[in-house]
Amino acid sequence: MPTTRRAAVLGGNRIPFARQFGPYAEASNQDMLTAALEGLVARHGLAGERVGEVVAGAVIKHSRDFNLTREAVLGSSLAADTPAYDIQQACGTGLEATILVANKIALGQAESAIAGGVDSASDAPIVVPERLRRKLLRLNRAKTPAERAKAAAALRPTDLGIQVPAATEPRTGMSMGEHMAITAARWGVTREAQDELALASHQKLAAAYERGFFDDLLTPYLGQTRDQNLRPDTTLEKLGSLRTAFGTGPDATMTAGNSTPLSDGASTVLLGSEEWAAAHGLKPLAFFVDGETAAVDYLGGEEGLLMAPAYAVPRMLARQGLSLQDFDLYEIHEAFAATVLSTMAAWEDEEFCRERLGLDAPLGGIDRAKLNVTGSSLAAGHPFAATGGRIVATLAKLLHEKGSGARGLISICAAGGQGVVAILEAA
Amino acid sequence: MPRSDGYTSFVNSGVGKKVASALGLPQPVPLRRYAPGRPLVDGPVLVGGHADTPAVSALRDGLTAAGATLVDAVPDGPRLGGVVVDLTAAETPADLESLRATLAPALKRLGRCARVVVVGRDPERAGSVAQRAARRALEGITRSVGKELRAGATANLVLVADGHEASALGTVLFLLSARSAYVDGQVVRVGEREVHAAPVDAERPLAGKVAVVTGAARGIGADIARTLHRDGATVVCVDVPAAGASLAAVANEVGGTALQLDVTALDAGTRILEHATTRHGGLDVVVHNAGITRDKLLANTDAERWDSVLRVNLLSILQMNEALLAKSGLRDGGRVVLVSSIAGIAGNRGQSNYAASKAGVIGLVDGYAADRGLVRRGITVNAVAPGFIETEMTARIPLATREVGRRLNSLAQGGLPVDVAEAIAFYAADAQGAVSGNVIRVCGQSLLGA
């Protein structure tokens, strides 16, 4: 058996994220993933190159896209003998893909790999109601004219109708925002704190664009050169004037301004062994240190739908012998401003840390100056599966800027009560 | 990609030929363009000249090795692919008769897109007034012949240094070949540096070289990247981040790398060098192609329009070259190629800012080419000055103006981006170690600024 070695994050590329029904309204997941791959290939000189494997996925997927990532590879400039497969773990997809390929590289099963994700909230599959679907399948199975006539006669005008997928939890029928509103109330997260976090996200993302930070992380697509959702000139007053969107009564603190919008976009990250990187003239930005996933029982266990990262992080820290304060940078995915604030509140809460996490003392606070320093999903937008790749590439570059040994923590919540977290360390 | 404008297609059709001929209209032909595997010239090459023709003697073996069939008299059979007339031994204007005697009968037997290459010496290095007059006369003759030639044929002059005739081989081959399709009526000076180019694969003269092309996302820049790649170079494609999508497409097409940056950024040169060094191990060829236009009559040009054009087209080159031409920059034997413009030579109404930048580029060539440090390192600096080139930019010119621009040259047609790229690739090759300080116009011998 091979011993493990370090897997390096070598670079990334994404297309600017766009709002639902915006400039990418007509672009498919395959189009966007291919575009993101093409930019990555161009930046790293991989045209005609066989990469160990490409792993990506989409949360909202057409049935025709059963081999989405492989199809994107075939449409790209990578060598056609580059294998690929799809994974899906809701909003954790991109980070989970990174963990998968980093582990393969660490084990010597791959020399290089690309992890990524894509999602379109615009070019969504349309589903017919279940009753109609069954009748249509019956019609399709019919062999004789008589059977066909009988099956056709069973169709009723009332069967018609279409269902567009929504960010709704199948087991509760509640939207993700409604779930989050319960958790926000549980942790007493205020409207003001959420708006402040949202404002900071926009300001920091805008500043990062201004200093050219994304020049080697992003390739324009369909005329879009920056994230469409970015509002560099938004203010607390503007955010404060928005109507609440989730929750009821005094607990309603969440608005369209402090929640991520439905988005379209794709991202990719290039990883490799140090040998492969050197052979390709690529300098590692960061090494992948560890990853952890967690899930919570949000149905019967009285835990918030998006709180799984609060459990995943301490498990990973314990394994690594690190404290929550041992990081130079934190990337906590802003599904909602309240997600970030609830998670941090939980880590500071003695009772939660003792009873839920089984710790002797609270994990403690995070220096907010180290949190999402180039903005996060509230400003950039959140094409579900593409967020992980955005964060990994961004953090790897930020750590590289900080210098060797700098450490960063990633935390991403996902539907189904799940969470994916990881640690990167500057090369 | 052979492309042709509508008029050229028309006059090359049966009826169009008759109409154009009856009305005395220009009759452009589709130019012979290079593709790997094509012969150097289509037909035998007549060689001749004055006295003992020292240049022809020095070049004979090289020309033959490159596939040319040399003849000393106009043959009865096939039409000539080219003529090389050597007047390097001319002492007085009387000796020019040798040129007339060689060329006059040959001109009637030239094939389509044939080549006339006159070889002479630099008038400034003449030993007598009479010799200087004779040498200077060659320029007038060559330019007149260029205007006299038909059917895509061109005439150019090469000035070679005494005792270094063999160093001109690459230049003569370029001017004979299809690579110089739109180069007409030009004078190329070949210096005294000995060229010890190891025999290279003629189809991949840039094999092993690392080249950077700025403004590579589209138009001429994209074709420069393609041409350098075709000739064997690894190409770093540079353009502004906003052009990243097309830049990525070009970089992937040529199997190179894309580097999104603004050439006016203070650290642009350092970043280009760092990219080329870490990714590809070094840098051999720099093509400063990035450029913009902000056209307005000078009377209406504000400081912003003035400044942006000068910053992108001229100042950025100076700034980047601080890093690129430093000792730790371009490798010995490196090549710097700048892109000037016919507007920088002739001036153009409404383009005083652009013309300033493009004339300034010629100043850069003169300055760098004279730099002793660069000369010692074997680094050459040259420019191309495109005339009317068929690009997205010229396609936006109003039809009437565009037609005039297209036809006002000896080849009666616009050039293609690849024609500019070929001249750049020519400069970039090792064989051109003695070619520095030149500004070759790729203009089909345009009447503007001639």
Side-chain angles (χ1 to χ4, degrees), chain A residues 13 37-39 41-47 77 212 214-222 225 280-283, chain B residues 241-249 251-262 271 274-275 278-280:
Chain A
N13 183 60
L37 270 178
E38 281 297 81
V41 168
R43 183 161 301 137
H44 299 96
L46 302 176
S77 301
F214 292 108
D215 284 359
D216 58 0
L217 289 176
L218 189 140
T219 303
Y221 183 59
L222 300 182
T225 57
H280 289 75
L282 297 167
K283 279 189 185 162
Chain B
S246 36
L247 183 70
N252 287 340
E253 183 190 331
V254 305
T257 49
L259 177 59
Q260 300 185 156
L261 64 77
D262 183 338
R271 281 165 64 194
E274 209 246 321
H275 179 103
T278 56
R279 297 292 185 81
H280 310 294

Side-chain angles (χ1 to χ4, degrees), chain A residues 186 349-357:
Chain A
R186 149 84 172 84
D349 187 82
E350 200 186 335
E351 192 190 327
F352 176 87
C353 289
R354 190 180 60 240
E355 297 191 353
R356 298 284 173 97
L357 303 181

Side-chain angles (χ1 to χ4, degrees), chain A residues 46-51 70 73-84:
Chain A
L46 302 176
E49 186 94 21
R50 181 176 66 84
V51 169
R70 172 66 180 149
V73 166
L74 287 172
S76 79
S77 301
L78 286 171
D81 56 358
T82 297

Side-chain angles (χ1 to χ4, degrees), chain A residues 59-421:
Chain A
V59 174
I60 303 177
K61 211 167 154 183
H62 291 263
S63 53
R64 63 162 190 254
D65 286 340
F66 63 94
N67 224 352
L68 173 65
T69 310
R70 172 66 180 149
E71 289 300 326
V73 166
L74 287 172
S76 79
S77 301
L78 286 171
D81 56 358
T82 297
Y85 57 92
D86 290 16
I87 65 156
Q88 206 269 56
Q89 194 177 29
C91 306
T93 303
L95 184 54
E96 189 64 82
T98 307
I99 295 173
L100 272 173
V101 303
N103 287 345
K104 282 209 182 185
I105 292 167
L107 286 174
Q109 294 168 352
E111 287 302 317
S112 63
I114 295 170
V118 57
D119 253 294
S120 172
S122 305
D123 185 44
I126 282 174
V127 179
V128 297
E130 185 61 11
R131 198 168 42 170
L132 176 60
R133 191 180 70 88
R134 289 183 175 280
K135 287 181 181 176
L136 290 173
L137 284 171
R138 205 172 298 143
L139 179 62
N140 192 46
R141 281 199 305 271
K143 289 198 175 67
T144 66
E147 279 174 8
R148 268 198 287 275
K150 194 180 163 206
L155 294 171
R156 296 281 177 276
T158 51
D159 290 339
L160 292 176
I162 54 170
Q163 296 168 348
V164 179
T168 304
E169 279 300 318
R171 287 177 188 276
T172 61
M174 285 162 64
S175 75
M176 204 166 272
E178 286 164 339
H179 273 285
M180 190 66 236
I182 296 169
T183 311
R186 149 84 172 84
W187 290 103
V189 177
T190 66
R191 166 80 183 264
E192 291 69 33
Q194 294 178 47
D195 285 352
E196 277 166 20
L197 192 84
L199 178 69
S201 188
H202 284 279
Q203 289 174 338
K204 288 185 286 189
L205 183 65
Y209 271 108
E210 283 310 310
R211 74 175 172 102
F213 179 77
F214 292 108
D215 284 359
D216 58 0
L217 289 176
L218 189 140
T219 303
Y221 183 59
L222 300 182
Q224 198 69 28
T225 57
R226 289 187 176 195
D227 302 311
Q228 193 195 9
N229 190 56
L230 174 60
R231 303 274 180 279
D233 51 357
T234 195
T235 61
L236 272 184
E237 290 68 44
K238 281 186 196 166
L239 288 164
S241 68
L242 298 172
R243 268 197 312 241
T244 53
F246 306 107
T248 50
D251 289 345
T253 56
M254 295 168 57
T255 68
N258 58 40
S259 308
T260 48
L262 288 171
S263 319
D264 304 337
S267 68
T268 53
V269 185
L270 176 66
L271 293 97
S273 67
E274 289 176 82
E275 297 75 32
W276 189 87
H280 289 75
L282 297 167
K283 279 189 185 162
L285 298 174
F287 292 110
F288 178 86
V289 177
D290 204 353
E292 173 78 19
T293 55
V296 295
D297 182 0
Y298 64 98
L299 293 165
E302 293 182 357
E303 187 48 273
L305 178 74
L306 302 180
M307 290 299 284
Y311 294 77
V313 165
R315 294 212 291 251
M316 183 170 63
L317 293 180
R319 184 162 64 221
Q320 290 290 326
L322 294 170
S323 79
L324 184 59
Q325 289 71 39
D326 286 339
F327 292 88
D328 301 276
L329 293 168
Y330 302 84
E331 286 287 334
I332 305 182
H333 161 49
E334 299 167 342
F336 303 89
T339 320
V340 179
L341 296 169
S342 299
T343 303
M344 294 198 303
W347 286 336
E348 288 181 48
D349 187 82
E350 200 186 335
E351 192 190 327
F352 176 87
C353 289
R354 190 180 60 240
E355 297 191 353
R356 298 284 173 97
L357 303 181
L359 300 174
D360 300 335
L363 284 168
I366 282 175
D367 179 354
R368 293 283 285 268
K370 299 175 178 173
L371 173 68
N372 299 347
V373 296
T374 52
S376 185
S377 305
L378 286 171
H382 172 40
F384 309 123
T387 289
R390 173 185 70 74
I391 292 177
V392 170
T394 300
L395 179 63
K397 181 172 173 186
L398 285 169
L399 290 171
H400 179 66
E401 286 181 344
K402 285 224 170 268
S404 187
R407 204 180 283 135
L409 176 69
I410 300 173
S411 161
I412 297 178
C413 59
Q418 307 203 84
V420 189
V421 303

